[in-house]
Amino acid sequence: MAKTQLNVRVDEGTARAARERALARGMSVNRYIEELVKQDTGEVGHTFVEAAADFMKQYESVFAEEFGADREGTREGRR
């Protein structure tokens, strides 16, 4: 994906906080800000839901076998 450069002006305290948090997470300030925007716009949540749906589709038969309706909520005597 092509990248677009943005120039943003923030006060020194905000800039310092962004640098510190990015460093603590082991990422660049650019990546940190990009992740914050994605979280704010729901992209990260949407990606998670898509991945979870794909996982469930892939393992649906395993779940049905292990936790199927015939078990009525029990497994090895546990409720």
Side-chain angles (χ1 to χ4, degrees):
M1 175 188 299
K3 299 284 184 172
T4 299
Q5 181 174 338
L6 298 175
N7 294 312
V8 181
R9 292 185 184 272
V10 297
D11 62 70
E12 186 54 41
T14 302
R16 183 174 42 255
R19 288 185 201 106
E20 289 171 0
R21 292 186 186 250
L23 180 63
R25 288 171 173 79
M27 61 178 61
S28 68
V29 173
N30 286 336
R31 179 71 180 169
Y32 175 67
I33 299 300
E34 185 176 17
E35 290 298 318
L36 289 177
V37 172
K38 285 180 180 181
Q39 283 178 340
D40 189 49
T41 60
E43 188 173 321
V44 172
H46 181 70
T47 301
F48 172 78
V49 170
E50 284 181 347
D54 288 343
F55 175 84
M56 289 303 293
K57 192 181 307 178
Q58 185 175 10
Y59 292 98
E60 181 178 11
S61 63
V62 175
F63 282 95
E65 182 179 318
E66 184 68 20
F67 304 106
D70 60 316
R71 297 281 182 121
E72 296 178 2
T74 62
R75 181 174 181 255
E76 299 174 14
R78 290 182 276 163
R79 282 205 175 266

